[in-house]
Amino acid sequence: MGDRSWFGPGSRVIITTRDSSLLREADQRYQIEELEPDEALQLFSWHAFKDTKPVEDYIELSKDVVDYCGGLPLALEVMGACLSGKNRDGWKSVIDKLKRIPNPDIQRKLRISYDSPDEELKNAFLDIACFFIDRKKEYVAKLLGARCGYNPEVDLQTLHERSLIKALGETVTMHDLLRDMGREVVRESSPKEPGKRTRIWNQEDAWNVLEQEKGTEVVEGLKLDVRASEAKSLSPGSFAKIIVTSKNYGREKRCETSYNPQNFSNPRLKILNLSHSQNLIKTPNLHSSSLEKLILEGCSSLVEVHQSIGNLTSLDFLNLEGCWRLKNLPESIGNVKSLEILNISGCSQLEKLPERMGDMESLTELLADRIKNEQFLSSIGQLKYVRRLSLRGYSSTPPSCSLISASVLNWKRWLPTSFIEWISVKRLKLSNGGLSDRATNCVDFGGLSALEELDLTGNKFSSLPSGIGFLPKLRYLSVQACKYLVSIPDLPSSLRCLGASYCKPLERGIHNLDGCESTRLFYKLRDA
């Protein structure tokens, strides 16, 4: 901005920029919003008709163009000038073409923000434009991180500062024209041969490339949704030449595909997403030293995980959530020393965890919600390195279907009375487990000496399980929606947050709040 002394008293300097990082020393900032539909139509009309409103025969066509421009003044001006003087057939031709190939004048001007010497930043933008619009930021960050090999938070922040992406809450999105600009950058690299582009997002292109085996090593990402193509089939050769960062076979529960390869080898594959492949019975024979994430969520026909999973020396995330037919995991999974997170929630028929998993030092997080098999729950104790453990029940099922209740499960047989085996656990989730006073009286939570977060939401006890008041590191405790809870005695002094919303009988009996470290404690006794 220069030196403020350059300007005399009372001066006002207005700066416009696409990069908000240049305004760090500005006294005030104002984010220019997109035009409202009525304003956008008026601006477009000035350039198309030299008037404040469209000619009557062109009203609907004008609205189509305004929708395409999305309230962006630059695009409205360019398109208005482009269509000015053309007849209706000319308008229709231009609009049809826009659906396939974006307007080059708009693209050139939008690329000013995109052009950068930072190739990784460009790659992040193109990945989002092609695959990750309207996705959770955490999800986008994980996939970008796996691709680039470093934390992408700085890249996401830079893209946001340059107005190339938006963050709506926890969701990453971008303007439709910027999306089209990014995809056009990719398409221009090989206009007539999608198999030679770095990214393939169009479903027709994806199927053609895979079915005709036209993929090349140039391909870095491919998105495939099989929901509308149940009759199509793929073969292992479909992927032979493709080096993909993420294969997504659709994320809806009704996805089906005839692709069921016996062998799968790709030395540079980092993420394999086969979510909701309902015809997948057995995972392929995997050989990839670089595979980091294997996602099999919702594969409802899966009955076997191939023993080759033990060869995945870089695998750090395995998601088997909802694979309810799966009864066993291969012993070879114990060889995956890099595995950090295992999600087996909803694998309701899983009998037990392999004994060799007890030696997996890197396995620090286990998500095992909605599993009530007694033998399985007993096998959890061998995971001595787990720090975050989730054993939540069903949040919307009747008590008879709860995860843990005295009628179907004897706590003493799987929860050790003093939790010696779980001494390293820092986060424990036992919400909606149907825990009653009879069950909680069996155990002493005081053995969880490393515990920092405890979630007991939605259970049936009338008083807290014993030992909680002696947990030296407990910072967060949730007993929300515990409808029968009437007292909370003996809270540890380390506690910083108590969540007790919707505990109607809890009108008194909360003790020892004064001894806690922080004043950020809160609880809610009645509905708002």
Side-chain angles (χ1 to χ4, degrees):
M1 284 177 44
D3 195 322
R4 292 175 183 259
S5 64
W6 296 354
F7 307 98
S11 297
R12 297 289 184 270
V13 180
I14 299 176
I15 303 170
T16 60
T17 178
R18 290 183 174 93
D19 189 348
S20 63
S21 67
L22 300 176
L23 303 177
R24 291 194 177 109
E25 296 185 21
D27 294 325
Q28 293 182 340
R29 297 188 191 186
Y30 179 75
Q31 178 68 43
I32 303 297
E33 302 294 337
E34 296 168 10
L35 296 177
E36 295 293 331
D38 290 345
E39 298 172 323
L41 183 61
Q42 185 176 357
L43 177 61
F44 170 77
S45 298
W46 271 115
H47 291 272
F49 306 106
K50 311 303 179 187
D51 199 353
T52 58
K53 59 183 183 298
V55 175
E56 186 172 350
D57 289 345
Y58 290 78
I59 291 177
E60 293 305 318
L61 290 172
S62 296
K63 288 182 178 179
D64 289 341
V65 178
V66 169
D67 286 343
Y68 168 78
C69 295
L72 195 67
L74 170 111
L76 292 164
E77 294 175 10
V78 171
M79 290 307 304
C82 173
L83 293 169
S84 181
K86 287 184 168 60
N87 60 25
R88 285 176 56 86
D89 289 338
W91 276 57
K92 291 178 180 179
S93 176
V94 170
I95 293 172
D96 288 341
K97 185 178 179 182
L98 286 175
K99 295 176 181 178
R100 295 177 288 108
I101 304 175
N103 181 278
D105 291 331
I106 296 175
Q107 297 295 301
R108 273 195 300 273
K109 293 179 180 179
L110 290 177
R111 285 197 192 189
I112 295 173
S113 296
Y114 165 76
D115 289 332
S116 165
D118 188 337
E119 290 301 319
E120 288 297 341
L121 190 65
K122 288 183 177 180
N123 281 330
F125 171 77
L126 295 179
D127 284 342
I128 294 172
C130 294
F131 303 125
F132 302 136
I133 293 175
D134 294 331
R135 293 284 192 173
K136 293 292 185 182
K137 182 180 178 182
E138 181 182 7
Y139 175 82
V140 175
K142 282 183 179 180
L143 294 188
L144 292 182
R147 183 195 204 288
C148 63
Y150 62 84
N151 190 330
E153 287 293 336
V154 174
D155 286 350
L156 292 174
Q157 180 61 31
T158 301
L159 291 174
H160 184 264
E161 290 174 347
R162 294 187 181 183
S163 302
L164 289 172
I165 64 173
K166 298 178 182 178
L168 300 179
E170 294 298 317
T171 302
V172 174
T173 186
M174 67 171 59
H175 195 286
D176 288 350
L177 292 179
L178 290 170
R179 175 204 62 198
D180 293 344
M181 182 268 287
R183 293 179 176 182
E184 183 64 11
V185 169
V186 176
R187 192 193 70 84
E188 285 178 349
S189 65
S190 180
K192 296 184 178 181
E193 296 184 67
K196 294 182 179 180
R197 299 172 190 165
T198 58
R199 297 158 182 84
I200 304 175
W201 66 91
N202 179 275
Q203 296 303 287
E204 183 178 354
D205 289 342
W207 276 113
N208 288 339
V209 167
L210 294 176
E211 285 185 311
Q212 299 173 30
E213 300 184 12
K214 291 184 176 181
T216 67
E217 293 187 354
V218 174
V219 179
E220 298 175 4
L222 180 148
K223 181 179 180 180
L224 183 62
D225 186 341
V226 300
R227 285 173 292 178
S229 308
E230 295 181 5
K232 293 181 179 291
S233 63
L234 302 175
S235 68
S238 300
F239 300 97
K241 297 180 181 179
I242 297 178
I243 303 174
V244 294
T245 299
S246 173
K247 292 195 185 84
N248 190 334
Y249 293 85
R251 298 185 57 80
E252 298 298 324
K253 293 184 178 179
R254 295 184 181 176
C255 292
E256 296 192 12
T257 177
S258 298
Y259 174 62
N260 192 6
Q262 299 302 309
N263 295 282
F264 195 100
S265 177
N266 194 315
R268 292 179 56 187
L269 180 67
K270 288 184 177 291
I271 302 170
L272 180 58
N273 187 342
L274 295 170
S275 297
H276 306 297
S277 297
Q278 293 188 3
N279 288 342
L280 185 67
I281 298 173
K282 178 181 179 180
T283 62
N285 187 348
L286 295 167
H287 299 282
S288 176
S289 59
S290 62
L291 188 66
E292 297 175 0
K293 302 185 189 305
L294 177 57
I295 306 170
L296 299 165
E297 180 180 349
C299 295
S300 57
S301 298
L302 186 69
V303 296
E304 182 180 350
V305 175
H306 195 278
Q307 62 181 2
S308 63
I309 194 172
N311 300 325
L312 304 179
T313 55
S314 297
L315 190 71
D316 59 32
F317 178 79
L318 175 59
N319 187 350
L320 293 164
E321 181 173 357
C323 298
W324 62 273
R325 295 181 188 270
L326 193 64
K327 294 185 178 181
N328 295 288
L329 295 177
E331 285 289 338
S332 61
I333 196 173
N335 296 333
V336 188
K337 303 302 183 182
S338 57
L339 189 63
E340 298 176 5
I341 302 174
L342 174 61
N343 187 349
I344 49 176
S345 295
C347 296
S348 54
Q349 296 194 52
L350 200 61
E351 295 176 356
K352 64 177 181 177
L353 296 176
E355 291 183 9
R356 294 174 60 187
M357 289 184 66
D359 297 323
M360 299 171 67
E361 296 184 18
S362 61
L363 183 58
T364 57
E365 182 167 353
L366 175 66
L367 306 174
D369 302 336
R370 308 185 302 283
I371 303 178
K372 58 184 179 181
N373 180 292
E374 184 175 330
Q375 185 180 6
F376 164 78
L377 293 170
S378 299
S379 69
I380 293 176
Q382 65 184 311
L383 304 179
K384 48 185 175 291
Y385 298 104
V386 167
R387 303 290 186 272
R388 295 175 294 279
L389 177 60
S390 181
L391 299 171
R392 297 180 294 183
Y394 296 83
S395 59
S396 58
T397 53
S400 60
C401 298
S402 61
L403 169 66
I404 304 166
S405 76
S407 62
V408 294
L409 188 61
N410 185 346
W411 269 53
K412 290 182 178 180
R413 298 180 63 179
W414 72 277
L415 285 184
T417 57
S418 60
F419 287 95
I420 296 300
E421 293 172 337
W422 291 0
I423 195 170
S424 299
V425 173
K426 293 185 177 181
R427 299 176 185 174
L428 179 59
K429 295 182 179 180
L430 296 171
S431 59
N432 300 302
L435 308 185
S436 63
D437 289 333
R438 178 182 173 185
T440 56
N441 287 337
C442 296
V443 294
D444 181 0
F445 278 69
L448 295 165
S449 57
L451 195 65
E452 297 177 2
E453 299 181 13
L454 177 59
D455 185 357
L456 297 172
T457 298
N459 282 294
K460 299 180 179 180
F461 43 71
S462 61
S463 62
L464 287 183
S466 62
I468 290 178
F470 298 100
L471 299 177
K473 297 182 179 180
L474 190 65
R475 297 161 58 89
Y476 172 81
L477 172 63
S478 175
V479 290
Q480 299 185 74
C482 291
K483 298 184 295 183
Y484 304 102
L485 185 61
V486 295
S487 65
I488 303 181
D490 303 324
L491 291 172
S493 59
S494 58
L495 195 68
R496 295 192 175 185
C497 181
L498 170 64
S501 303
Y502 309 110
C503 298
K504 289 185 178 181
L506 187 64
E507 300 199 6
R508 59 184 179 276
I510 299 182
H511 306 298
N512 199 27
L513 296 184
D514 295 336
C516 298
E517 286 183 359
S518 174
T519 58
R520 294 174 60 195
L521 288 157
F522 67 92
Y523 57 93
K524 180 179 180 181
L525 301 183
R526 299 182 179 84
D527 295 341

